[in-house]
């Protein structure tokens, strides 16, 4: 049985006074985000193989992607609020164990209903797992490296998209789709052993009740942050959902080069995640998010220009890379807002606050994808960018309501 009562003094290598940033604990938490991202995104790469293997349509298997998001969004804040009442390390290990069980079920699924149950299992714990990871920030990194830690944890998902998914897809094409889940299961077991070895055991379970934690949403700063992230994600996913047809049909990239284009776009998204840490380092509290207003406005302009991407294919390709660079710039700033506001005014809701970024972003994904589908069906690909720009303007309007104090601006 794992003792969850040790204090940080028993783990000096994990204290924030350690000079290196990439300590074993930090690397392990980033690797956990990578595994969560790989398990979530792998479905897109191996969808045809699963459809053939289970003898169902590709549309039916594709529904697993949207159902995953539907389960992920509400489960994340609820699970995070519940997790605050239990020892952190034990809770974290339990969540990862459920994640492992879900992937084992995917690996052995003999029919579509079993695969559906497995994917829902994973979705129910994935967001809460990320939220708990975020609460390790003061224990595994210095105060100066806090935003860098947040950026790298989020970047685990981008790394999974750029590197993990292509590798997983190759494994599925070479050895069968179940082999992709064998890979995920094996890596998760190794990751759990690393968690036992390097993560600190200190925790301070909250005595606050379940429902009182949700008073966090009564805070106007939190609501504005949630709306900004939601609209910011929707702005990107209006077009990102149809990135392949935009590359192929609008810009004219040959089909054989589309996979390369997707990798380049993914690399731009990874840079966006990492640079978001620098943007978030400009102040505390709501200040970094308030300074995102010009970023959202520039994003809106770029999205409008996407309507003309087909006129100059080279410029259109460069524009897509620019949009990738803007896609995740809000991530770290919004996380700083949620965590700092909660620490200052709602200390019993820290786990819930840590989950808001994942929750808001996934709602934005669902909204942007739905709007993108309607726009594409009725108006065509060229109109996706302008409709995304509307969401970017709404995000800019949301952060315009944030008014940082002099202390928050002074960092």
């Amino acid at each position: 049985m794992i003792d969850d009562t040790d204090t940080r003094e028993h783990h000096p290598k994990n204290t924030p006074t350690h000079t290196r940033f990439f300590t074993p604990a930090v690397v392990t938490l980033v690797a956990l985000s990578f595994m969560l991202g790989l398990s979530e995104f792998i479905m897109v790469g191996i969808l045809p193989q699963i459809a053939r293997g289970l003898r169902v349509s590709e549309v039916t298997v594709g529904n697993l992607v949207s159902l995953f998001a539907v389960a992920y969004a509400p489960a994340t804040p609820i699970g995070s609020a519940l997790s605050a009442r239990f020892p952190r390390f034990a809770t974290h290990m339990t969540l990862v164990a459920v994640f492992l069980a879900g992937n084992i079920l995917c690996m052995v699924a003999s029919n579509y209903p079993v695969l559906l149950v497995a994917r829902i299992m994973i979705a129910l714990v994935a967001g809460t797992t990320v939220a708990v990871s975020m609460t390790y920030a003061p224990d595994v990194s210095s105060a100066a490296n806090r935003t860098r830690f947040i950026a790298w944890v989020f970047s685990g998902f981008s790394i999974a998209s750029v590197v993990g998914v292509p590798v997983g897809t190759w494994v599925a094409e070479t050895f069968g789709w179940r082999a992709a889940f064998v890979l995920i299961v094996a890596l998760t077991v190794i990751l759990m052993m690393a968690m036992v070895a390097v993560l600190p055991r200190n925790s301070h379970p909250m005595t606050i009740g379940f429902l009182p934690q949700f008073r966090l949403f009564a805070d106007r700063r939190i609501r504005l942050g949630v709306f900004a992230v939601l609209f910011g994600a929707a702005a990107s996913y209006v077009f990102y959902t149809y990135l392949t047809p935009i590359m192929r049909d609008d810009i004219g990239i040959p089909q054989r080069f589309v996979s390369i284009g997707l990798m380049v776009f993914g690399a731009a998204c990874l840079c966006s995640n990492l640079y978001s840490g620098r943007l978030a380092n400009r102040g505390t509290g709501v200040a970094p998010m308030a300074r995102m207003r010009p970023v959202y406005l520039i994003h809106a302009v770029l999205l409008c220009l996407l309507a003309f991407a087909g006129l100059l294919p080279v410029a259109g390709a460069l524009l897509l890379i620019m949009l990738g660079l803007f896609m995740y710039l809000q991530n770290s700033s919004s996380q700083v807002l949620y965590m700092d506001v909660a620490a200052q005014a709602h200390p019993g809701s820290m786990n819930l606050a840590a989950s808001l970024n994942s929750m808001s972003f996934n709602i934005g994904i669902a909204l942007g994808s739905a709007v993108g589908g309607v726009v594409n069906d009725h108006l065509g690909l060229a109109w996706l960018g302008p409709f995304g720009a509307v969401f970017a303007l709404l995000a800019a309007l949301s952060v315009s309501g944030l008014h940082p104090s002099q202390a928050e601006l002074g960092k």
Side-chain angles (χ1 to χ4, degrees), residues 68-102:
F68 189 98
V70 168
Y72 188 109
T76 297
I78 293 172
S80 300
L82 287 170
S83 70
R85 299 178 60 82
F86 301 97
R88 178 176 61 183
F89 180 77
T91 301
H92 211 192
M93 291 299 295
T94 301
L95 291 168
V96 178
V98 175
F99 170 78
L100 175 63

Side-chain angles (χ1 to χ4, degrees), residues 146 206 213 215-217 219 221-222 285-286 334-356 408:
R146 180 182 64 151
M206 297 298 176
Q213 294 182 61
R215 291 173 186 160
L216 181 70
F217 289 103
D219 195 304
R221 297 167 294 178
I222 294 291
V286 304
S334 57
Q335 193 72 21
V336 167
L337 182 153
Y338 300 140
M339 299 300 285
D340 283 0
V341 169
Q344 172 201 4
H346 313 277
S349 303
M350 289 298 291
N351 278 37
L352 177 59
S355 75
L356 296 184
E408 291 173 329

Side-chain angles (χ1 to χ4, degrees), residues 228-238 327 330 360-365 368:
V229 172
L230 192 159
F231 291 133
S236 290
Y237 274 80
V238 166
M327 195 160 175
Q330 65 184 0
S360 308
F361 206 92
N362 273 272
I363 296 173
I365 288 173

Side-chain angles (χ1 to χ4, degrees), residues 155-200:
S155 294
F157 289 89
S158 295
I159 296 169
S161 178
V162 177
V163 179
V165 172
V167 171
T169 303
W170 175 82
V171 169
E173 291 173 347
T174 306
F175 303 103
W177 67 270
R178 295 182 192 277
F181 289 105
V182 172
L183 176 65
I184 292 173
V185 167
L187 292 175
T188 302
V189 170
I190 295 171
L191 182 61
M192 291 180 75
M193 291 189 289
M195 291 173 67
V196 171
V198 304
L199 290 187

